[in-house]
């Protein structure tokens, strides 16, 4: 009998040694609805791989979405606690009475890209040419470029070019096939074009600066409902801390990027390096978002995009940006 009890003790001791720490984790689960192909997955994977979620008192359930509409449905329907969007959308929702809060993730914006051997050397050279635009007619980068072209060159970019709207992967292929003379897409597709011998014609950040806007305002971020934030302040504070630690690792540790490379699905070394550099350049400051600068940005978007873009948010609503304790 004593041999049986001894064997049983050894068995349970061994079981405790091989049981993962996550099995005894008692923190709350945060459900995130994110695009399957989005760059945010690189940060979330860094959080999970390094245990930054459990170290900060929560665990993540990552819900891969096929598109932005699916993310919105999951978030607004209560199936997800967090989604990714831009703060202009959050301002629009708050102006409509919805208590959504924005947590900065990235300040990366794209550029207007052309082939390296293109005869297009300035915006006016695009007269009568096709421009591919991701995000639709009220895409913020497209609106900024229109305003910049009008101010700097007196050129009606919209009226004197042909626009082709589509998903970033489709526009990427069309650009490579020579069907577009200019392409405005999300920054990570810009990086992939750079690796395919395309070059920047106009940076959206430079165009924004020329218009008197602050290019350091983080446009993209995590969105959470105010009621969830108030009910689970520790979970959101932990998530913000984990997100910042992951950013710090990705900003300085090349080994993290080597591990992420299969997830990034890069075509070659040039694309990998361009994506890494682009992500790092987009890491926002830890300082609070400048409300005055954000209000100025929103006012221009309201002027250029009107109600289809900003809804009733003609001025910056209170509470758009996350602050601990709000």
């Amino acid at each position: 009998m004593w041999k049986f009890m001894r064997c049983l003790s050894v068995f349970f001791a061994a079981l405790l040694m091989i049981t993962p720490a996550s099995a005894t984790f008692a923190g709350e689960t945060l459900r995130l609805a994110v695009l399957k192909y989005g760059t945010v997955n690189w940060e979330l994977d860094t959080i999970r791989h390094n245990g930054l979620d459990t170290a900060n008192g929560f665990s993540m359930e990552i819900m891969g979405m096929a598109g932005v509409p699916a993310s919105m449905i999951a978030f607004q329907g209560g199936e997800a606690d967090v989604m990714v969007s831009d703060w202009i959308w959050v301002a629009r929702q708050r102006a409509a009475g919805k208590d959504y809060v924005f947590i900065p993730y990235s300040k990366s914006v794209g550029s207007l890209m052309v082939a390296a051997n293109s005869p297009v050397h300035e915006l006016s050279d695009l007269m009568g040419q096709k421009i591919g635009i991701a995000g639709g007619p009220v895409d913020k980068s497209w609106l900024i470029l229109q305003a910049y072209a009008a101010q700097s060159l007196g050129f009606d970019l919209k009226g004197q070019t042909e626009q082709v709207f589509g998903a970033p992967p489709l526009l990427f292929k069309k650009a490579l096939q020579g069907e577009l003379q200019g392409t405005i897409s999300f920054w990570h597709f810009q990086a992939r074009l750079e690796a395919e011998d395309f070059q920047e014609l106009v940076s959206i950040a430079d165009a924004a600066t020329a218009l008197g806007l602050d290019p350091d305002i983080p446009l993209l971020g995590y969105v959470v409902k105010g009621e969830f934030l108030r009910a689970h302040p520790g979970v959101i504070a932990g998530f913000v801390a984990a997100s910042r630690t992951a950013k710090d690792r990705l900003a300085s540790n090349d080994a993290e990027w080597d591990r992420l490379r299969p997830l990034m699905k890069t075509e070659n070394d040039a694309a990998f390096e361009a994506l890494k550099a682009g992500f790092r350049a987009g890491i926002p400051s830890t300082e609070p978002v400048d409300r005055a600068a954000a209000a100025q940005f929103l006012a221009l978007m309201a002027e250029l995009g009107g109600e289809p873009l900003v809804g009733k948010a003609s001025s910056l609503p209170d509470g758009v940006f996350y602050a601990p304790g709000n």
Side-chain angles (χ1 to χ4, degrees), residues 236-251:
I236 296 302
F239 176 66
V240 170
S243 172
R244 174 49 58 175
T245 302
K247 286 182 174 67
D248 291 342
R249 287 176 180 267
L250 292 170

Side-chain angles (χ1 to χ4, degrees), residues 88 92 136-152 155-158 165 204 207-213 295-311 313-315:
I88 301 292
R92 173 179 181 145
V138 291
D139 174 73
K140 297 153 200 70
S141 295
W142 171 233
L143 294 175
I144 288 172
L145 274 180
Q146 290 179 60
Y148 171 73
Q151 175 180 286
S152 63
F155 178 54
D156 182 0
L157 187 61
K158 178 181 178 181
F165 300 103
I204 304 302
T209 300
L211 293 170
L213 302 176
Q296 182 183 4
F297 190 102
L298 181 63
L300 181 61
M301 292 297 100
E303 177 186 340
L304 298 175
E307 192 167 337
L309 176 61
V310 303
S314 56
S315 60

Side-chain angles (χ1 to χ4, degrees), residues 10-277:
V10 171
F11 169 78
F12 280 113
L15 185 63
L16 287 173
M17 292 178 65
I18 65 173
T19 299
S22 59
T24 59
F25 177 71
E28 296 183 68
T29 298
L30 191 65
R31 302 168 300 169
L32 299 101
V34 298
L35 297 182
K36 292 178 181 179
Y37 57 83
T39 62
V40 69
N41 290 287
W42 308 344
E43 176 169 300
L44 297 180
D45 188 84
T46 302
I47 290 173
R48 175 171 281 172
H49 176 79
N50 291 284
L52 302 176
D53 49 352
T54 55
N56 283 282
F58 70 99
S59 62
M60 293 189 301
E61 178 185 340
I62 300 173
M63 306 162 60
M65 298 286 131
V68 173
S71 297
M72 289 183 176
I73 290 171
F75 177 71
Q76 294 175 325
E79 295 178 13
D81 306 313
V82 177
M83 65 169 286
V84 174
S85 188
D86 60 75
W87 68 264
I88 301 292
W89 182 79
V90 173
R92 173 179 181 145
Q93 299 305 311
R94 289 192 73 84
K98 294 182 179 178
D99 186 12
Y100 295 168
V101 180
F102 176 88
I103 302 169
Y105 160 65
S106 176
K107 63 179 183 178
S108 285
V109 291
S111 299
L112 175 56
M113 305 293 292
V114 299
N117 59 356
S118 171
V120 175
H121 301 294
E122 60 179 33
L123 287 174
S124 57
D125 293 335
L126 286 166
M127 183 181 297
Q129 304 296 316
K130 288 184 180 180
I131 302 177
I133 303 163
V138 291
D139 174 73
K140 297 153 200 70
S141 295
W142 171 233
L143 294 175
I144 288 172
L145 274 180
Q146 290 179 60
Y148 171 73
Q151 175 180 286
S152 63
L153 300 172
F155 178 54
D156 182 0
L157 187 61
K158 178 181 178 181
Q160 300 188 59
T161 62
E162 179 182 347
Q163 294 90 51
V164 178
F165 300 103
L170 175 63
L171 296 180
F172 177 74
K173 291 180 181 178
K174 285 184 174 294
L176 293 182
Q177 293 166 356
E179 297 181 29
L180 303 171
Q181 287 69 56
T183 307
I184 304 168
S185 191
F186 302 156
W187 74 265
H188 47 296
F189 281 94
Q190 168 198 325
R192 293 181 187 277
L193 283 175
E194 286 179 359
E196 297 292 339
D197 205 23
F198 278 64
Q199 61 188 12
E200 178 183 272
L201 182 68
V202 179
S203 160
I204 304 302
D206 290 345
T209 300
L211 293 170
L213 302 176
D214 182 358
D216 289 328
I217 296 175
L219 184 62
L220 194 66
Y222 301 104
V223 183
V224 62
K225 293 176 182 176
E227 60 189 39
F228 184 91
L229 174 58
R230 290 185 291 275
H232 310 273
V235 172
I236 296 302
F239 176 66
V240 170
S243 172
R244 174 49 58 175
T245 302
K247 286 182 174 67
D248 291 342
R249 287 176 180 267
L250 292 170
S252 59
N253 190 334
D254 286 338
E256 289 284 359
W257 288 100
D258 292 337
R259 186 188 61 78
L260 286 172
R261 184 162 181 169
L263 181 64
M264 296 165 68
K265 295 182 170 61
T266 53
E267 297 84 359
N268 49 52
D269 290 343
F272 173 68
E273 293 299 332
L275 288 168
K276 180 167 65 173

